[in-house]
Amino acid sequence: MTTRTLYLFCSAAPPVFDVARVIEDAQARGWDVCLGLTPSAAEWLEDSLAGLEALTGHPVRSRYKRPGQPDVWPAADAVLVAPATTNTINRWALGITDSFVVGFVAEALGKNIPLTVMPCVNAAYAQHPQLPLSLQTLRDAGVQVLFGEGGFEPNPPGEKRPYPWDVALNAVDDLRQ
């Protein structure tokens, strides 16, 4: 099995606390994983960042590099944005690129890097009129959106359910075929 590089980009939603297990699962599937976090997700995982860097063998990124600095990750073969909050999804669809994660995936659209997003929003956020527009914008741009039946299905606010990480990893595995 040839190793390919997966950029795993996570927003600050409760499933981000499972990211070490998800990285191990992706590595067992043959992916070299590079972890990118939104600023809030990086803050949530602050005490785990050194361990996550050791696990992936790459720096965990949450900020843009400075002009002229070298890339510290190998080129991406695929990108998985999960868990993706309403904020991350809307900013991406609207092209608001003030953070590394959103800036990278916005640019990746034009570079034809295979992109998959799996939201993590509760049913109340899912009712906001911008979210379906943003998801459709991303679908129209060629992003594989895992939302609704067969993907992430919103839960009532406050209800805790397992996040379907396997669905997301299976989807990016299918890109390797």
Side-chain angles (χ1 to χ4, degrees):
M1 176 178 354
T2 303
T3 301
R4 296 183 64 194
T5 302
L6 174 66
Y7 286 11
L8 175 59
F9 289 146
C10 302
S11 301
V16 77
F17 291 111
D18 298 326
V19 74
R21 180 190 59 77
V22 175
I23 291 167
E24 290 170 342
D25 190 3
Q27 290 170 332
R29 294 167 181 241
W31 290 102
D32 177 23
V33 181
C34 296
L35 179 62
L37 303 170
T38 63
S40 293
E43 183 179 324
W44 286 16
L45 296 176
E46 184 176 25
D47 294 338
S48 304
L49 295 179
L52 292 168
E53 288 185 357
L55 179 61
T56 63
H58 302 287
V60 174
R61 293 193 57 197
S62 61
R63 297 174 189 246
Y64 283 110
K65 66 181 184 70
R66 291 191 177 119
Q69 287 183 322
D71 288 331
V72 294
W73 289 352
D77 293 299
V79 177
L80 172 60
V81 183
T85 61
T86 302
N87 185 46
T88 296
I89 293 164
N90 288 339
R91 294 174 89 72
W92 181 7
L94 295 170
I96 301 171
T97 61
D98 61 343
S99 71
F100 165 67
V101 165
V102 176
F104 185 92
V105 293
E107 186 177 24
L109 291 170
K111 292 182 173 182
N112 297 316
I113 299 170
L115 296 159
T116 300
V117 62
M118 189 162 68
C120 183
V121 300
N122 68 36
Y125 279 119
Q127 296 303 311
H128 191 282
Q130 184 58 47
L131 184 63
L133 297 173
S134 292
L135 292 172
Q136 190 58 51
T137 296
L138 296 176
R139 280 187 189 99
D140 292 346
V143 177
Q144 180 177 212
V145 176
L146 306 173
F147 186 72
E149 190 174 334
F152 177 80
E153 296 187 35
N155 49 288
E159 179 183 290
K160 304 289 187 237
R161 279 191 293 190
Y163 187 70
W165 281 109
D166 284 346
V167 170
L169 291 176
N170 289 342
V172 294
D173 281 346
D174 289 346
L175 297 173
R176 296 170 63 152
Q177 308 303 325

